[in-house]
Amino acid sequence: MSDKGSVLVTGGAGFVGSHTTVELIQAGYSVVVIDSLINSRKESIARAEEITGTKIPAYYFDILEKEKLQQVFEKHRINSVIHFASLKAVGVSVHTPLIYYKNNLGITINLLEVMRENGVKKFIFSSSATVYGDPHYLPFDEKHPVGNCTNPYGKSKFFNEEILRDFSLANPDWKFILLRYFNPVGAHKSGRLGEDPMGIPNNLTPYIAQVAVGRLPYVRVLGNDYDTRDGTGVRDYLHVVDLAVGHIAALEKVEKMNGCMAINLGTGKNHSVLEMVAAFEKACGKKIPYKLEARRDGDLPTFYANPSLAESELGWKAIRGVDDMCADMWKFQQMNPNGYAEN
Ligand code: NAD
Ligand code: WQD
């Protein structure tokens, strides 16, 4: 679609952004990436170029630097923006709220201002199921109240949604889709692209993968006294490639709408911690050692998506199951025991 200009992918060197960049290019889109590399490496863009056989224009700077952002819009004909860039460590956000609000809100405001100066009016935002807070009911649908978030990261997602909803009301010819991700996991089937968190993983599945490959001694099962089928936390795990493909469906939708709509991207299925450990054991053919530990502050027992709006509005449905997620994650971890570091 290069005659239609490029899709600007902010945070495109990150886990979800890099997988989405691959799917966009393979669907015929031209992509431009901006990433500060605060939580990623250039290697993921190199891998995306290798997989797609395409050179990807990538600019490595902090989007708080508005002048540099404007220069990218001057150099490329940007048709739409997919905004993945964000800090996303829940625990860290509790101790550094100003860093999280300045970054996660500041870059969105910079983007909107530069888009407005350049006449770009299509915006797809990486939101999160975390905006729903404590469930009033499950599964979460898009009518569920939002904003009851308990940490600065989650609040930054909610505040961003509010900024975009308010901006949309003031600019009715703009088009916004807020994609509320559940729990993205997995890797590209090639084993060349995957999740490579900095330091000790906060999230369950990269932690399991690092135990399986011997980088960590055992999985910490954070709480087994929840009111769930086996006492451990239950989530809606979604293959990162299904999630990536959901962005292509959103890009197609955003061409045909006005206003601002929030859509869940989840499977509608759910798995417990122990079920994910078992699924990973099946994928890697090894026992995964684990220890039962205390609950993690702020964790909810259970949440999962009602994905019906994504199906009706985007024509999107997740097609990969937990076995695919674990098999692809294991392939990536085996091929890259230390992530992208060894390059
Ligand atoms: P990630 O950390 O891998 O990717 C985010 C990218 O944004 C990183 O590469 C980072 O370097 C970049 N970035 C951060 N601040 C920046 C700035 N000021 N300027 C330029 N680049 C900047 O995270 P991810 O898992 O790929 O998540 C992508 C998006 O999806 C994020 O907005 C995240 O909040 C959201 N999300 C993630 C999950 C999840 O579990 N992974 C779930 C729900 C929502
Ligand atoms: C999943 C389950 C834990 C780690 C977080 C953010 C959310 C979003 C996705 C950005 C829970 C348990 C975890 C471990 C464990 N990120 N667990 N041992 O907490 O659902 O969501 O990531 O938007 O905003 O809150 O994901 O993978 O951390 O936890 O037992 O070492 O695994 O208690 O039940 P979570 P998670």
Side-chain angles (χ1 to χ4, degrees), residues 188-265:
H188 189 264
K189 64 181 182 301
S190 65
R192 296 290 288 157
L193 207 55
E195 187 168 13
D196 179 29
M198 303 285 187
I200 303 287
N202 295 305
N203 295 129
L204 176 67
T205 52
Y207 201 107
I208 295 174
Q210 290 191 20
V211 170
V213 82
R215 271 176 74 180
L216 292 168
Y218 57 84
V219 172
R220 305 164 309 163
V221 176
L222 300 174
N224 73 321
D225 57 350
Y226 288 109
D227 181 16
T228 64
R229 49 185 176 266
D230 64 13
T232 64
V234 170
R235 295 290 185 273
D236 182 334
Y237 295 99
L238 168 70
H239 198 295
V240 66
V241 176
D242 276 334
L243 178 59
V245 170
H247 290 75
I248 295 174
L251 269 182
E252 289 162 2
K253 175 71 181 180
V254 87
E255 291 294 337
K256 302 173 275 196
M257 62 169 275
N258 276 332
C260 181
M261 66 189 312
I263 299 179
N264 289 339
L265 291 187

Side-chain angles (χ1 to χ4, degrees), residues 87-90 126-131 151 153-154 157 181-185 201-208 219-223 226 232-237 271-273 294-296 298-303:
L87 296 175
K88 63 157 188 174
V90 169
S126 295
S127 191
S128 168
T130 206
V131 301
N151 59 76
Y153 164 71
K157 283 300 176 187
Y181 307 168
F182 282 70
N183 289 61
V185 302
N202 295 305
N203 295 129
L204 176 67
T205 52
Y207 201 107
I208 295 174
V219 172
R220 305 164 309 163
V221 176
L222 300 174
Y226 288 109
T232 64
V234 170
R235 295 290 185 273
D236 182 334
Y237 295 99
H271 291 80
S272 73
V273 173
R295 295 181 178 190
R296 180 171 63 180
D299 274 357
L300 295 171
T302 298
F303 61 84

Side-chain angles (χ1 to χ4, degrees), residues 73-179:
F73 277 75
E74 286 165 2
K75 191 167 178 194
H76 297 272
R77 200 153 60 81
I78 305 296
N79 175 56
S80 55
V81 174
I82 305 181
H83 184 30
F84 293 105
S86 172
L87 296 175
K88 63 157 188 174
V90 169
V92 173
S93 79
V94 172
H95 304 294
T96 58
L98 288 188
I99 292 173
Y100 267 67
Y101 290 135
K102 184 170 183 179
N103 190 76
N104 293 358
L105 304 181
I107 60 179
T108 301
I109 291 168
N110 275 359
L111 261 177
L112 290 170
E113 289 178 338
V114 171
M115 287 171 71
R116 181 172 56 191
E117 286 150 25
N118 292 275
V120 180
K121 302 181 178 184
K122 291 172 253 185
F123 193 110
I124 294 171
F125 176 64
S126 295
S127 191
S128 168
T130 206
V131 301
Y132 290 120
D134 261 322
H136 295 187
Y137 57 82
L138 285 173
F140 282 136
D141 63 19
E142 291 81 353
K143 295 187 181 69
H144 188 283
V146 292
N148 174 24
C149 312
T150 57
N151 59 76
Y153 164 71
K155 289 177 191 173
S156 77
K157 283 300 176 187
F158 170 64
F159 296 155
N160 263 315
E161 286 202 5
E162 289 290 88
I163 290 167
L164 297 175
R165 276 188 282 268
D166 287 342
F167 189 90
S168 173
L169 290 172
N171 299 274
D173 58 337
W174 283 54
K175 303 134 180 303
F176 295 92
I177 296 182
L178 318 178
L179 295 175

